[in-house]
Amino acid sequence: MRLLICMLCVGLSLPALRAEMPEPLEAALRKLMADDGRWAYTQTVKKFDRRGRPDGVQVERFDPSQPEEEQWTLLERDGRPVAEREQRAFRRKKDREMRRREEKSLGEVIDFDRAVLVRADEAAVVYEVPLVPGASRRFPEEKFTVFMTVHPERETLEHFALKAREAFRMVGVAKIDRVEIDVSFAVVDPAHPPQPAVIAASGAGRVLFFPVGGAAEITWTDFKRVKPWKDRFVVEFGELKVLDF
């Protein structure tokens, strides 16, 4: 399971958009980026071992309107409330993950300029998008492909999927047989673009002679529109009536 979790530290941050990108895809990504950091939500993480058996459930709350060190709160672990020491350890771990992440996120290594239209109809516009060559050690460009689905009328992102084209070896002795990440989006407020609702990920491989792998399902619920903490220091000036002379 540890190998799978390392593969899942992907994020969905996006680089600066460029003119060469297909217009429907660019419009959908711009809408998603404009909404970044404006939703609080509850995140439920269910893990499964390589045989598909349950391997733990954790419920967390993310609220970007709070100070950075308090934005993540651990609510439950395997159905029980958490102790204060667990809460502190959880927040320290989240802080380390944010500060020490050296690898680029998946969104940062997707080559949107080379997106290829694979299907277009009244229900969906689907693009196959490659990765940037040499941009990531975790995601070799020749081993992975990404599919992104855009709603043709609303121009919003509806679905995201990453799949390994074939088995490959990571740096060292790990052989990866299968990696899949599947993200479904859902409307949480008709006035705003859809947000990630269900993220399913799975992987399998071998380290030396031992099979490793597992799966995880992440669901986002209880969305609430908030003002990001980073924006609280923006001062908006009203009419300066004291200078009305």
Side-chain angles (χ1 to χ4, degrees), residues 37-38 63-71 226-237:
R38 300 187 179 279
D63 186 349
S65 69
Q66 300 300 311
E68 290 187 0
E69 65 276 10
E70 299 175 11
Q71 290 183 356
V226 299
K227 182 176 182 178
W229 173 262
K230 61 183 180 181
D231 291 351
R232 70 188 298 267
F233 301 104
V234 176
V235 179
E236 297 180 359
F237 293 97

Side-chain angles (χ1 to χ4, degrees), residues 1 44-48 55-58 215-219:
M1 192 64 193
T44 302
V45 182
K46 297 180 181 179
K47 299 178 183 179
F48 305 88
D55 193 28
V57 179
Q58 189 159 290
E217 180 183 87
I218 304 172
T219 56

Side-chain angles (χ1 to χ4, degrees), residues 137-180:
R137 292 175 297 174
R138 292 179 302 157
F139 299 101
E141 176 266 342
E142 72 279 5
K143 303 299 183 182
F144 289 94
T145 190
V146 169
F147 293 92
M148 305 184 80
T149 302
V150 175
H151 191 282
E153 182 178 350
R154 296 190 293 265
E155 291 189 327
T156 54
L157 196 60
E158 304 285 310
H159 187 258
F160 172 98
L162 174 139
K163 295 183 179 181
R165 300 176 186 269
E166 58 187 17
F168 64 96
R169 289 192 177 277
M170 294 184 68
V171 177
V173 295
K175 180 177 182 294
I176 307 301
D177 296 318
R178 174 178 54 82
V179 174
E180 295 184 6

Side-chain angles (χ1 to χ4, degrees), residues 84-99:
E84 182 60 31
R85 59 179 176 78
E86 292 178 290
Q87 188 70 253
R88 292 194 298 268
F90 170 78
R91 285 179 168 166
R92 286 196 299 269
K93 181 180 178 182
K94 286 289 186 181
D95 183 65
R96 288 196 300 269
E97 290 174 353
M98 293 299 295
R99 295 179 183 275

Side-chain angles (χ1 to χ4, degrees), residues 40-46 57-62 72-76 90 94 199 217-222:
Y41 55 84
T42 297
Q43 175 175 284
T44 302
V45 182
K46 297 180 181 179
V57 179
Q58 189 159 290
V59 182
E60 309 161 0
R61 181 72 180 175
F62 176 69
W72 282 100
T73 301
L74 181 60
L75 302 179
E76 293 182 9
F90 170 78
K94 286 289 186 181
I199 303 174
E217 180 183 87
I218 304 172
T219 56
W220 291 3
T221 57
D222 301 326

